[in-house]
Amino acid sequence: MAQRLPRPHRDDVRIALAGLLGGLLIWGVGLSTRAAGDPLVLLDARWPILLPLVVTAGCELLRRIRPRTGLLVGMAALTVDVLTQGNLVTVVMFTDLVYAAVLYGPPATARRVPWITGLLSVATAIVPFAVWRVPQALLIGVVVGIVAFTPAATGLIVRDHRDAAVSARLRAEQTALLAELDRTQAMTSERARMARELHDLVANHLSAIAIHSTAALSLDDPDTSKRALGVIRENSVAGLAEMRRLIGILRDSGGDLEPAAAPTLDGLGALVDGARTNGLDVTLGTDTDHAALPAPVELAAYRIVQESLTNALKHASPGRVSVALTRRDCSLSVAVTSPYGDHDSPRAPGSGAGLVGMRERVALLGGTFTAGPDGARWAVRAVLPLTEAEREGGGEGV
């Protein structure tokens, strides 16, 4: 099935009609580019002028949809017009066909037409001058340059500006797309960081509340219930304080509040004491100079120990929980082990978010993380490189 020719642009239809009517008007009043009896006029009559005029006006309909075809047919019509007395409108419409071929044609046409018309202008100036040896012969090249080379050069300039504008718009769209991707990635990363912090800050207190409230409900012992209520109150107050601090940071859009200090390994003693208060038998061993550690490593190690103790409180069997921090060359090793197996004491439900948060923290620092059964114990181990954290020079904050 043959491909249908697209409809001409409405502006091209207007140009064609205006050119045709203008040419007919000039023809009707008897104006022409060459006088009757000129030796160069081979068709010395009035009616042959109309043929190239009508054909060139029809070519104007192709100036956008088939610019090369319009130019080639227009050249043939102009050649016929040269053999007649000539019509100025036919010449003007031909210059527009040259301009349109460069502006709307393929890139190859846009490159070749200015070169061809430029060489033709030079040739039509030099050859007649060399043959006739009169300065007036140079005017032929000038006329060809005005009719052919000037519109071609103008079309090339306009096309270059148009292509530059399109390229600039594409670059702006790409920049906007990259900015949107960066914004989305930053929002996702910030939401993940906030989720980790919220979980680490509150999960320990809520787990202790859940376990001790279950114990208080299951045992009919006033003293045990009183101690459980005391632990519940202590964890509730601490959890509320952490939540208020976090909400205050999130609401402070103007930055008027002082940023909260991130936890450090100096607070491990208080963290272990709190775990013992909640009923865990915890031992802490460390041979690390906390002051010499990068801040991101300290924060990650603290959060790993905190989450591991929370998980031990929720899931571990009765027995000793061991926390060990060891520095080796350019890394800090964190290991938390707890009894693994079934037990009858109250449990708090878990979602697995704690393990995901610990793994994300370690991955951000380029370290390694493992968590799982190790014989009769559950082991959480992390290796945090110090050099990577020092290069980043920052890290997460509360």
Side-chain angles (χ1 to χ4, degrees):
M1 183 176 179
Q3 184 179 4
R4 296 181 60 185
L5 188 68
R7 297 181 61 180
H9 195 277
R10 58 184 180 182
D11 290 340
D12 297 342
V13 175
R14 296 190 184 102
I15 292 173
L17 289 176
L20 180 60
L21 294 176
L24 291 175
L25 178 61
I26 291 178
W27 177 82
V29 298
L31 296 177
S32 60
T33 57
R34 287 173 294 278
D38 192 312
L40 296 178
V41 177
L42 300 182
L43 302 175
D44 195 0
R46 294 290 299 161
W47 65 266
I49 299 176
L50 297 178
L51 178 61
L53 173 66
V54 173
V55 173
T56 307
C59 292
E60 289 283 25
L61 299 175
L62 305 176
R63 65 192 300 275
R64 295 176 196 260
I65 57 177
R66 292 289 189 274
R68 288 189 299 183
T69 303
L71 177 60
L72 293 175
V73 177
M75 289 178 62
L78 182 65
T79 303
V80 175
D81 182 77
V82 171
L83 301 178
T84 68
Q85 294 180 16
N87 191 310
L88 180 62
V89 176
T90 301
V91 178
V92 173
M93 287 193 293
F94 175 77
T95 62
D96 182 65
L97 293 177
V98 177
Y99 171 82
V102 176
L103 181 60
Y104 302 115
T109 301
R111 292 192 302 269
R112 292 170 184 168
V113 171
W115 281 100
I116 293 173
T117 55
L119 293 176
L120 183 62
S121 301
V122 174
T124 53
I126 295 177
V127 173
F129 178 77
V131 173
W132 295 330
R133 298 291 182 177
V134 292
Q136 290 79 1
L138 296 174
L139 296 177
I140 299 176
V142 174
V143 172
V144 173
I146 295 174
V147 173
F149 177 72
T150 300
T154 304
L156 183 61
I157 293 172
V158 174
R159 183 179 182 126
D160 288 341
H161 283 288
R162 186 187 66 179
D163 293 343
V166 172
S167 299
R169 184 171 65 252
L170 289 177
R171 286 194 298 270
E173 292 175 354
Q174 292 174 352
T175 302
L177 178 60
L178 291 175
E180 179 63 20
L181 291 176
D182 289 342
R183 187 186 71 84
T184 302
Q185 184 178 6
M187 288 180 58
T188 303
S189 178
E190 182 64 14
R191 290 178 65 178
R193 187 184 72 88
M194 290 171 58
R196 288 195 301 270
E197 293 296 336
L198 183 60
H199 180 275
D200 293 343
L201 289 173
V202 181
N204 182 51
H205 301 299
L206 294 182
S207 298
I209 291 171
I211 291 174
H212 286 280
S213 61
T214 302
L217 291 173
S218 61
L219 298 177
D220 188 14
D221 184 353
D223 294 335
T224 303
S225 298
K226 185 176 181 179
R227 287 195 300 270
L229 290 174
V231 175
I232 290 172
R233 183 185 183 282
E234 179 181 346
N235 282 277
S236 298
V237 171
L240 285 173
E242 295 284 2
M243 285 294 295
R244 290 193 186 99
R245 184 163 60 89
L246 184 59
I247 291 173
I249 294 174
L250 295 177
R251 285 182 173 175
D252 180 31
S253 58
D256 296 331
L257 298 179
E258 291 293 330
T264 64
L265 294 182
D266 291 333
L268 282 183
L271 184 64
V272 170
D273 290 340
R276 289 170 180 159
T277 302
N278 290 328
L280 286 179
D281 181 10
V282 186
T283 61
L284 174 63
T286 175
D287 60 356
T288 303
D289 182 8
H290 301 163
L293 294 175
V297 172
E298 279 202 78
L299 176 60
Y302 181 92
R303 293 303 191 199
I304 290 171
V305 174
Q306 182 184 43
E307 180 58 27
S308 298
L309 292 178
T310 300
N311 289 340
L313 179 65
K314 292 191 292 185
H315 306 296
S317 301
R320 176 161 295 181
V321 178
S322 299
V323 178
L325 282 77
T326 306
R327 180 168 182 171
R328 298 188 181 91
D329 296 332
C330 297
S331 65
L332 176 67
S333 297
V334 181
V336 182
T337 61
S338 57
Y340 178 68
D342 297 331
H343 61 84
D344 298 329
S345 59
R347 288 177 179 267
S351 63
L355 292 177
V356 173
M358 287 190 288
R359 185 172 286 107
E360 289 177 349
R361 288 184 184 278
V362 175
L364 288 173
L365 295 177
T368 58
F369 175 81
T370 58
D374 184 9
R377 298 180 68 80
W378 179 273
V380 174
R381 294 186 176 90
V383 178
L384 307 174
L386 305 181
T387 53
E388 184 72 18
E390 289 170 353
R391 282 197 298 269
E392 292 184 7
E396 297 177 280
V398 177

Short mmCIF file of all heavy atoms in Angstrom, two decimals, residues 156-189:
data_model
loop_
_atom_site.label_atom_id
_atom_site.label_comp_id
_atom_site.label_asym_id
_atom_site.label_seq_id
_atom_site.Cartn_x
_atom_site.Cartn_y
_atom_site.Cartn_z
N LEU A 156 20.62 28.13 6.72
CA LEU A 156 21.59 27.40 7.55
C LEU A 156 21.76 28.07 8.91
O LEU A 156 21.85 27.39 9.95
CB LEU A 156 22.93 27.32 6.82
CG LEU A 156 24.03 26.52 7.51
CD1 LEU A 156 23.59 25.07 7.68
CD2 LEU A 156 25.33 26.61 6.73
N ILE A 157 21.80 29.40 8.92
CA ILE A 157 21.93 30.12 10.20
C ILE A 157 20.72 29.87 11.09
O ILE A 157 20.85 29.58 12.29
CB ILE A 157 22.13 31.62 9.93
CG1 ILE A 157 23.47 31.86 9.24
CG2 ILE A 157 22.05 32.41 11.24
CD1 ILE A 157 23.67 33.29 8.77
N VAL A 158 19.53 29.97 10.50
CA VAL A 158 18.31 29.76 11.28
C VAL A 158 18.26 28.32 11.80
O VAL A 158 17.87 28.07 12.95
CB VAL A 158 17.07 30.08 10.44
CG1 VAL A 158 15.79 29.73 11.18
CG2 VAL A 158 17.06 31.56 10.06
N ARG A 159 18.65 27.37 10.95
CA ARG A 159 18.63 25.95 11.37
C ARG A 159 19.61 25.71 12.52
O ARG A 159 19.29 24.98 13.47
CB ARG A 159 18.98 25.06 10.19
CG ARG A 159 18.91 23.57 10.53
CD ARG A 159 19.23 22.72 9.32
NE ARG A 159 19.12 21.30 9.65
CZ ARG A 159 18.38 20.44 8.99
NH1 ARG A 159 17.63 20.82 7.99
NH2 ARG A 159 18.37 19.16 9.35
N ASP A 160 20.79 26.31 12.44
CA ASP A 160 21.77 26.16 13.53
C ASP A 160 21.22 26.71 14.84
O ASP A 160 21.37 26.08 15.90
CB ASP A 160 23.08 26.86 13.18
CG ASP A 160 23.85 26.12 12.09
OD1 ASP A 160 23.56 24.92 11.88
OD2 ASP A 160 24.72 26.74 11.45
N HIS A 161 20.58 27.87 14.78
CA HIS A 161 19.98 28.44 16.00
C HIS A 161 18.85 27.55 16.53
O HIS A 161 18.73 27.36 17.74
CB HIS A 161 19.47 29.86 15.72
CG HIS A 161 20.55 30.89 15.67
ND1 HIS A 161 21.23 31.32 16.79
CD2 HIS A 161 21.09 31.58 14.64
CE1 HIS A 161 22.13 32.24 16.45
NE2 HIS A 161 22.06 32.41 15.14
N ARG A 162 18.05 27.02 15.61
CA ARG A 162 16.95 26.15 16.04
C ARG A 162 17.49 24.87 16.68
O ARG A 162 17.00 24.43 17.73
CB ARG A 162 16.07 25.80 14.84
CG ARG A 162 14.82 25.02 15.21
CD ARG A 162 14.08 24.57 13.96
NE ARG A 162 14.88 23.60 13.20
CZ ARG A 162 14.46 23.03 12.08
NH1 ARG A 162 13.29 23.36 11.56
NH2 ARG A 162 15.23 22.16 11.46
N ASP A 163 18.51 24.27 16.06
CA ASP A 163 19.10 23.04 16.63
C ASP A 163 19.74 23.33 17.98
O ASP A 163 19.66 22.50 18.90
CB ASP A 163 20.14 22.46 15.67
CG ASP A 163 19.51 21.93 14.39
OD1 ASP A 163 18.28 21.72 14.38
OD2 ASP A 163 20.24 21.73 13.40
N ALA A 164 20.37 24.50 18.11
CA ALA A 164 20.97 24.85 19.40
C ALA A 164 19.90 25.01 20.47
O ALA A 164 20.08 24.59 21.62
CB ALA A 164 21.78 26.14 19.26
N ALA A 165 18.76 25.60 20.08
CA ALA A 165 17.66 25.76 21.04
C ALA A 165 17.09 24.41 21.45
O ALA A 165 16.80 24.17 22.63
CB ALA A 165 16.57 26.64 20.45
N VAL A 166 16.96 23.50 20.48
CA VAL A 166 16.47 22.15 20.81
C VAL A 166 17.44 21.43 21.73
O VAL A 166 17.03 20.78 22.70
CB VAL A 166 16.23 21.35 19.52
CG1 VAL A 166 15.92 19.89 19.83
CG2 VAL A 166 15.09 21.96 18.71
N SER A 167 18.74 21.53 21.44
CA SER A 167 19.74 20.89 22.30
C SER A 167 19.72 21.46 23.71
O SER A 167 19.81 20.72 24.70
CB SER A 167 21.14 21.06 21.69
OG SER A 167 21.21 20.45 20.41
N ALA A 168 19.57 22.79 23.80
CA ALA A 168 19.51 23.41 25.13
C ALA A 168 18.28 22.94 25.89
O ALA A 168 18.35 22.68 27.10
CB ALA A 168 19.51 24.93 24.99
N ARG A 169 17.15 22.81 25.19
CA ARG A 169 15.93 22.34 25.86
C ARG A 169 16.09 20.89 26.32
O ARG A 169 15.67 20.53 27.43
CB ARG A 169 14.75 22.47 24.91
CG ARG A 169 13.42 22.07 25.57
CD ARG A 169 12.22 22.39 24.70
NE ARG A 169 12.20 21.61 23.48
CZ ARG A 169 12.46 22.08 22.27
NH1 ARG A 169 12.77 23.35 22.11
NH2 ARG A 169 12.41 21.30 21.21
N LEU A 170 16.71 20.05 25.48
CA LEU A 170 16.94 18.67 25.88
C LEU A 170 17.86 18.59 27.09
O LEU A 170 17.64 17.78 28.01
CB LEU A 170 17.52 17.88 24.71
CG LEU A 170 16.57 17.61 23.54
CD1 LEU A 170 17.32 16.89 22.41
CD2 LEU A 170 15.38 16.78 23.99
N ARG A 171 18.92 19.40 27.08
CA ARG A 171 19.82 19.41 28.25
C ARG A 171 19.09 19.87 29.50
O ARG A 171 19.32 19.32 30.59
CB ARG A 171 21.03 20.30 27.98
CG ARG A 171 22.03 19.72 27.01
CD ARG A 171 23.34 20.47 27.06
NE ARG A 171 23.18 21.86 26.66
CZ ARG A 171 23.29 22.31 25.42
NH1 ARG A 171 23.57 21.45 24.45
NH2 ARG A 171 23.15 23.58 25.15
N ALA A 172 18.22 20.87 29.35
CA ALA A 172 17.45 21.34 30.51
C ALA A 172 16.52 20.24 31.02
O ALA A 172 16.38 20.03 32.24
CB ALA A 172 16.66 22.58 30.15
N GLU A 173 15.88 19.51 30.10
CA GLU A 173 15.00 18.43 30.51
C GLU A 173 15.78 17.31 31.19
O GLU A 173 15.32 16.74 32.19
CB GLU A 173 14.24 17.89 29.29
CG GLU A 173 13.23 18.86 28.71
CD GLU A 173 12.59 18.34 27.44
OE1 GLU A 173 13.03 17.26 26.96
OE2 GLU A 173 11.67 19.00 26.92
N GLN A 174 16.96 16.99 30.64
CA GLN A 174 17.79 15.96 31.27
C GLN A 174 18.26 16.40 32.65
O GLN A 174 18.29 15.60 33.59
CB GLN A 174 18.99 15.65 30.37
CG GLN A 174 18.62 14.95 29.07
CD GLN A 174 19.81 14.78 28.15
OE1 GLN A 174 20.90 15.31 28.40
NE2 GLN A 174 19.61 14.04 27.08
N THR A 175 18.64 17.68 32.76
CA THR A 175 19.06 18.19 34.07
C THR A 175 17.91 18.13 35.07
O THR A 175 18.10 17.74 36.24
CB THR A 175 19.55 19.64 33.93
OG1 THR A 175 20.64 19.69 33.00
CG2 THR A 175 20.02 20.18 35.27
N ALA A 176 16.71 18.50 34.63
CA ALA A 176 15.55 18.42 35.52
C ALA A 176 15.25 16.98 35.91
O ALA A 176 14.91 16.69 37.07
CB ALA A 176 14.33 19.05 34.84
N LEU A 177 15.41 16.05 34.95
CA LEU A 177 15.16 14.64 35.26
C LEU A 177 16.19 14.11 36.26
O LEU A 177 15.83 13.42 37.22
CB LEU A 177 15.21 13.82 33.97
CG LEU A 177 15.01 12.31 34.12
CD1 LEU A 177 13.66 11.99 34.74
CD2 LEU A 177 15.16 11.62 32.77
N LEU A 178 17.46 14.47 36.06
CA LEU A 178 18.49 14.04 37.00
C LEU A 178 18.26 14.65 38.38
O LEU A 178 18.47 13.97 39.41
CB LEU A 178 19.88 14.43 36.47
CG LEU A 178 20.37 13.67 35.22
CD1 LEU A 178 21.69 14.24 34.74
CD2 LEU A 178 20.51 12.19 35.52
N ALA A 179 17.85 15.92 38.39
CA ALA A 179 17.56 16.55 39.69
C ALA A 179 16.41 15.86 40.40
O ALA A 179 16.44 15.66 41.62
CB ALA A 179 17.25 18.04 39.49
N GLU A 180 15.38 15.47 39.64
CA GLU A 180 14.24 14.78 40.24
C GLU A 180 14.67 13.40 40.75
O GLU A 180 14.24 12.97 41.84
CB GLU A 180 13.13 14.64 39.21
CG GLU A 180 11.90 13.90 39.71
CD GLU A 180 11.19 14.60 40.85
OE1 GLU A 180 11.40 15.82 41.01
OE2 GLU A 180 10.45 13.94 41.60
N LEU A 181 15.53 12.71 39.98
CA LEU A 181 16.03 11.41 40.44
C LEU A 181 16.86 11.57 41.71
O LEU A 181 16.75 10.76 42.65
CB LEU A 181 16.86 10.75 39.33
CG LEU A 181 16.09 10.29 38.10
CD1 LEU A 181 17.06 9.75 37.05
CD2 LEU A 181 15.06 9.22 38.46
N ASP A 182 17.72 12.61 41.75
CA ASP A 182 18.51 12.85 42.95
C ASP A 182 17.61 13.17 44.14
O ASP A 182 17.86 12.72 45.26
CB ASP A 182 19.48 14.01 42.71
CG ASP A 182 20.59 13.63 41.74
OD1 ASP A 182 20.80 12.42 41.55
OD2 ASP A 182 21.24 14.54 41.19
N ARG A 183 16.56 13.97 43.88
CA ARG A 183 15.64 14.32 44.97
C ARG A 183 14.93 13.08 45.49
O ARG A 183 14.79 12.88 46.71
CB ARG A 183 14.63 15.35 44.48
CG ARG A 183 13.73 15.92 45.57
CD ARG A 183 12.67 16.82 44.97
NE ARG A 183 11.69 16.05 44.24
CZ ARG A 183 10.63 15.46 44.79
NH1 ARG A 183 10.42 15.55 46.10
NH2 ARG A 183 9.79 14.78 44.06
N THR A 184 14.47 12.24 44.56
CA THR A 184 13.78 11.01 44.97
C THR A 184 14.71 10.10 45.74
O THR A 184 14.32 9.52 46.77
CB THR A 184 13.23 10.29 43.73
OG1 THR A 184 12.36 11.17 43.01
CG2 THR A 184 12.47 9.04 44.13
N GLN A 185 15.95 9.97 45.25
CA GLN A 185 16.91 9.12 45.95
C GLN A 185 17.22 9.68 47.33
O GLN A 185 17.34 8.92 48.31
CB GLN A 185 18.19 9.01 45.13
CG GLN A 185 19.23 8.07 45.72
CD GLN A 185 20.46 7.94 44.85
OE1 GLN A 185 20.59 8.63 43.84
NE2 GLN A 185 21.35 7.06 45.22
N ALA A 186 17.36 11.02 47.41
CA ALA A 186 17.65 11.62 48.71
C ALA A 186 16.48 11.42 49.67
O ALA A 186 16.68 11.14 50.86
CB ALA A 186 17.94 13.11 48.53
N MET A 187 15.25 11.56 49.17
CA MET A 187 14.08 11.35 50.03
C MET A 187 14.01 9.90 50.50
O MET A 187 13.73 9.63 51.68
CB MET A 187 12.80 11.71 49.26
CG MET A 187 12.60 13.19 49.03
SD MET A 187 11.07 13.54 48.12
CE MET A 187 9.86 12.78 49.19
N THR A 188 14.27 8.96 49.58
CA THR A 188 14.24 7.54 49.97
C THR A 188 15.31 7.23 51.01
O THR A 188 15.06 6.53 51.99
CB THR A 188 14.45 6.66 48.73
OG1 THR A 188 13.44 6.97 47.76
CG2 THR A 188 14.37 5.19 49.08
N SER A 189 16.50 7.78 50.78
CA SER A 189 17.59 7.55 51.73
C SER A 189 17.27 8.17 53.09
O SER A 189 17.52 7.56 54.14
CB SER A 189 18.89 8.13 51.17
OG SER A 189 19.94 7.97 52.08
#
